[in-house]
Amino acid sequence: MSGTVKNILYLSSWYPTPENPFLGNFIRRQIEILSDDYDVTIVHTVPQTNSKEIRIVLTEEKRFKEYLVYHPKGINVVQKFRNQKRALKQVFNITRQPDILFTQILLPKGLQFLFAKRFFKCPWVHIEQGSYFSPKSWGANSIFRKIIAQLSVKKIDSFFAVSDFLRKDLQAVFKKKKIELLPNHIDLEAFGAKKKTKGKIIQFLHISTLDPNTKNPKGMFDACHILKQKVGNVFCFNVVSDGEKEPWIDYCDNLGIMDVVSFEGAKEWAEIPSCFHRADLFILNSVYETFSIVLAESWATGTPTITTPVGIGFDLPKELGIQTEIGNERSLANAMESFILSPDGFSQNIIRNHALPYAEDEIRFRLKEIINKYSA
């Protein structure tokens, strides 16, 4: 292509909507930093079971245009994609010609991305952070989803993973594809380090959807049960979640640990830093993560972490916290006990320094480097 890149079209399998405001909110923040330097249009399709018409909702932000395209869902694979394609064509016909197509998270919308590439005939930059590329999940995927992924990746011009941990698994699937690294970004100003006031009760924090398939909440609550039997009520495990909490509240009640576990509902992004500031330590117990923004945010606030070896928490340096075994609640309970016995062995400044590579300015510079490859 010739000329300077000005217009970017952005599509993603995850993106926040009024119906699901927290899904992919970090992707929206990447679009915001792109729109500091480029004209960005985000198009996101939303299937509706009882709808018969296509409805386009345009929101013109100060920094970018957002098209939410509501369309009939369809009852089988062929009909679903036909409806998606019809919805995309309708909105593509009223958007400007992009210089570059950016996409996030290949499944389930890879065919949509492929259609956009063919429709506009522009370079395609893809960023991947889907956990379905873990060896366990990929093996369980349907043949149809694997074909979609392989067909799409062949047409991608620049392919990025958000962590080295994920890149390894992607490379095992797409052996001949060059895969580069582009992490997610965090706001180092919002997630600043504040001096922590030590209390009599150690405050552990966890933030997630509590998805049992990836976050292993059962293991965390079982660890709290083990830990309470050993040390008593000298700790509190605070859970912040936009997911379904009621089954886990019942589970904790049956374990007899509701006096050491507390649940909070969804938080707006601006409220999250104070959660880290109040915590002595953050816990991640996932069976798989591709990046884990909450780890980077925890480090940015100078908060040590207990984490399984996933995402950017893989091979955790000792100055950041304690590494635990995946699926081992006793390993987690032992790590929590170790911190209770010796909570002062961590430097906020050293921990915060590990978050600096994920600063907004660092990722903005990297995005510009990628885009400049397609400017002549």
Side-chain angles (χ1 to χ4, degrees):
M1 66 182 295
S2 61
T4 303
V5 171
K6 295 181 180 179
N7 300 322
I8 295 173
L9 175 64
Y10 209 112
L11 282 74
S12 176
S13 286
W14 300 349
Y15 189 74
T17 65
E19 299 79 15
N20 200 347
F22 298 101
L23 180 65
N25 51 12
F26 53 92
I27 292 170
R28 195 177 196 274
R29 292 197 289 272
Q30 185 179 97
I31 292 169
E32 288 174 350
I33 65 171
L34 273 172
S35 61
D36 286 339
D37 302 289
Y38 307 95
D39 292 327
V40 183
T41 300
I42 169 72
V43 174
H44 186 66
T45 58
V46 185
Q48 292 192 305
T49 302
N50 298 320
S51 174
K52 294 183 179 180
E53 303 293 332
I54 294 170
R55 180 168 60 93
I56 299 173
V57 178
L58 169 62
T59 303
E60 294 201 49
E61 300 280 350
K62 291 181 180 179
R63 301 166 70 176
F64 60 90
K65 286 184 177 181
E66 174 190 276
Y67 289 93
L68 295 182
V69 191
Y70 295 87
H71 63 86
K73 184 176 182 179
I75 59 174
N76 55 54
V77 171
V78 173
Q79 193 178 81
K80 285 178 181 178
F81 180 64
R82 185 183 295 128
N83 290 343
Q84 293 168 18
K85 186 176 178 180
R86 188 162 55 93
L88 286 173
K89 187 177 288 187
Q90 191 167 318
V91 74
F92 286 170
N93 282 328
I94 60 174
T95 61
R96 58 199 162 201
Q97 169 68 36
D99 299 312
I100 288 186
L101 168 66
F102 264 78
T103 63
Q104 279 260 19
I105 307 168
L106 205 55
L107 296 174
K109 296 190 175 182
L111 288 179
Q112 292 189 28
F113 305 164
L114 195 58
F115 174 70
K117 164 74 173 178
R118 290 171 175 168
F119 188 94
F120 289 112
K121 298 178 174 62
C122 63
W124 177 7
V125 176
H126 179 71
I127 304 164
E128 188 54 58
Q129 48 190 313
S131 60
Y132 42 76
F133 285 110
S134 73
K136 182 178 179 181
S137 295
W138 186 247
N141 263 297
S142 68
I143 296 296
F144 180 69
R145 284 166 68 92
K146 290 178 180 179
I147 290 172
I148 290 175
Q150 294 289 353
L151 286 175
S152 302
V153 167
K154 286 181 180 179
K155 298 297 181 181
I156 292 171
D157 296 289
S158 292
F159 192 5
F160 295 89
V162 292
S163 69
D164 279 319
F165 181 77
L166 173 62
R167 180 162 58 175
K168 169 182 61 69
D169 290 337
L170 285 170
Q171 206 67 75
V173 176
F174 307 110
K175 294 180 172 55
K176 296 182 180 180
K177 192 72 177 181
K178 181 181 179 182
I179 302 172
E180 301 176 80
L181 184 65
L182 179 67
N184 288 311
H185 78 278
I186 58 172
D187 187 335
L188 286 179
E189 185 175 343
F191 289 84
K194 290 186 178 181
K195 186 176 180 180
K196 295 183 182 292
T197 303
K198 299 292 184 182
K200 293 181 179 179
I201 302 294
I202 293 293
Q203 301 289 332
F204 294 118
L205 172 67
H206 175 76
I207 303 174
S208 82
T209 60
L210 294 178
D211 178 3
N213 295 318
T214 56
K215 308 301 181 183
N216 191 12
K218 180 180 182 298
M220 290 187 291
F221 300 131
D222 288 345
C224 288
H225 180 239
I226 294 169
L227 184 63
K228 180 187 171 183
Q229 291 179 319
K230 295 180 73 174
V231 301
N233 294 28
V234 299
F235 71 98
C236 179
F237 182 53
N238 186 33
V239 178
V240 176
S241 176
D242 59 342
E244 190 177 10
K245 300 182 294 298
E246 286 70 23
W248 297 114
I249 293 173
D250 291 341
Y251 185 74
C252 291
D253 191 35
N254 289 333
L255 284 179
I257 59 171
M258 282 303 293
D259 53 343
V260 294
V261 178
S262 65
F263 290 85
E264 296 185 43
K267 300 281 187 183
E268 294 295 331
W269 181 72
E271 299 176 283
I272 297 298
S274 63
C275 296
F276 287 106
H277 293 149
R278 293 192 301 268
D280 295 306
L281 180 139
F282 178 78
I283 292 175
L284 187 82
N285 193 48
S286 298
V287 297
Y288 195 87
E289 293 279 347
T290 58
F291 183 78
S292 191
I293 278 183
V294 284
L295 282 180
E297 290 171 344
S298 182
W299 300 340
T301 62
T303 305
T305 51
I306 291 175
T307 181
T308 46
V310 294
I312 59 173
F314 182 77
D315 198 19
L316 186 79
K318 290 183 179 179
E319 62 264 27
L320 298 188
I322 306 170
Q323 193 95 81
T324 54
E325 297 176 10
I326 293 173
N328 187 337
E329 63 272 15
R330 291 197 175 275
S331 174
L332 176 55
N334 290 340
M336 295 167 75
E337 182 183 13
S338 176
F339 183 81
I340 289 171
L341 295 175
S342 182
D344 300 316
F346 298 97
S347 163
Q348 280 193 299
N349 289 335
I350 290 175
I351 292 173
R352 180 171 169 81
N353 284 341
H354 281 269
L356 299 183
Y358 312 115
E360 184 175 305
D361 286 344
E362 292 288 331
I363 305 307
R364 179 185 286 107
F365 178 79
R366 184 74 182 100
L367 286 165
K368 285 184 176 180
E369 281 188 324
I370 294 164
I371 290 168
N372 286 340
K373 286 173 54 179
Y374 298 101
S375 297

